[in-house]
Amino acid sequence: LLACLTWHFWRLCGHYPYLWHLASHAGPHQKRAEQELNRRTWCAQLFSLMPWFEQLRHQLIAQLNPLLSAHLESTNGFKVRLNPYNGREYRTPIDDLECNDIASMARGDNPIRPQTPVEHAALDLCGCVGRVRNEIAHMRPPILQEIRDLISSLHVYRAALSRL
């Protein structure tokens, strides 16, 4: 009965110190408290970082638009993908490209060829944003080194912009 009341009290109040206490000590609520802390952390990351990633994506696309337009000229400004299972073609306009789409265009067959330090930095930043964004989008905590790489890449990008 006490365990049940404790759990219901936590569900009603759910203060972080109390959750932390339950998650840090062996007991009947440890696993559920850990899950709730992880969920709340994910929600905080989602609500704080995803809008910022979207704003940054728009800035990067604006900066890279001439490079992307030239690279996608043969497809009239669309990134074209084929579904290997049904052969269906998917066409994504430049303004709708995700950071991972842009980063993938810098690898593989016929990669984008950045010409300036700003373009190099922007492509690198796209890769970093894409990796961290994907972890959060799939309810996984971002890897600390990827966050460090993102911050470092952002500094390099801003420094390159300041030299324009």
Side-chain angles (χ1 to χ4, degrees), residues 6 12 21 24 27-28 31 41-42 79 83 113 119 127 129 160:
T6 302
L12 291 173
H21 172 77
S24 300
K31 180 116 175 112
T41 301
W42 174 76
K79 180 173 181 177
N83 184 320
R113 306 259 185 246
E119 291 173 347
V129 167

Side-chain angles (χ1 to χ4, degrees), residues 9-160:
F9 173 77
W10 168 75
R11 289 298 292 164
L12 291 173
C13 298
H15 297 291
Y16 275 103
Y18 186 65
L19 282 173
W20 186 261
H21 172 77
L22 289 176
S24 300
H25 295 86
H29 305 298
Q30 183 178 23
K31 180 116 175 112
R32 287 160 89 186
E34 286 174 356
Q35 290 170 341
E36 181 62 16
L37 281 172
N38 289 338
R39 188 193 67 77
R40 288 182 181 196
T41 301
W42 174 76
C43 283
Q45 292 168 341
L46 182 72
F47 288 114
S48 62
L49 292 177
M50 292 305 234
W52 180 71
F53 288 156
E54 187 62 14
Q55 290 173 344
L56 187 56
R57 183 185 72 82
H58 285 281
Q59 291 172 11
L60 291 167
I61 286 175
Q63 186 68 46
L64 292 170
N65 200 300
L67 182 67
L68 294 169
S69 294
H71 185 73
L72 298 172
E73 186 176 17
S74 64
T75 57
N76 296 321
F78 289 90
K79 180 173 181 177
V80 179
R81 280 178 276 221
L82 290 176
N83 184 320
Y85 300 107
N86 63 15
R88 185 173 174 198
E89 184 177 276
Y90 295 95
R91 301 172 67 80
T92 307
I94 290 172
D95 289 341
D96 291 341
L97 291 172
E98 296 294 334
C99 285
N100 273 338
D101 294 326
I102 297 168
S104 72
M105 290 171 24
R107 305 182 296 269
D109 301 336
N110 188 26
I112 289 180
R113 306 259 185 246
Q115 304 298 315
T116 67
V118 172
E119 291 173 347
H120 279 281
L123 285 173
D124 184 54
L125 184 55
C126 280
C128 293
V129 167
R131 285 189 295 277
V132 173
R133 183 222 165 270
N134 275 358
E135 291 302 311
I136 294 170
H138 293 281
M139 296 185 76
R140 295 185 297 254
I143 298 166
L144 182 58
Q145 187 57 48
E146 289 180 353
I147 293 171
R148 288 180 179 142
D149 292 345
L150 171 61
I151 293 167
S152 175
S153 184
L154 184 61
H155 287 301
V156 170
Y157 174 68
R158 287 187 176 160

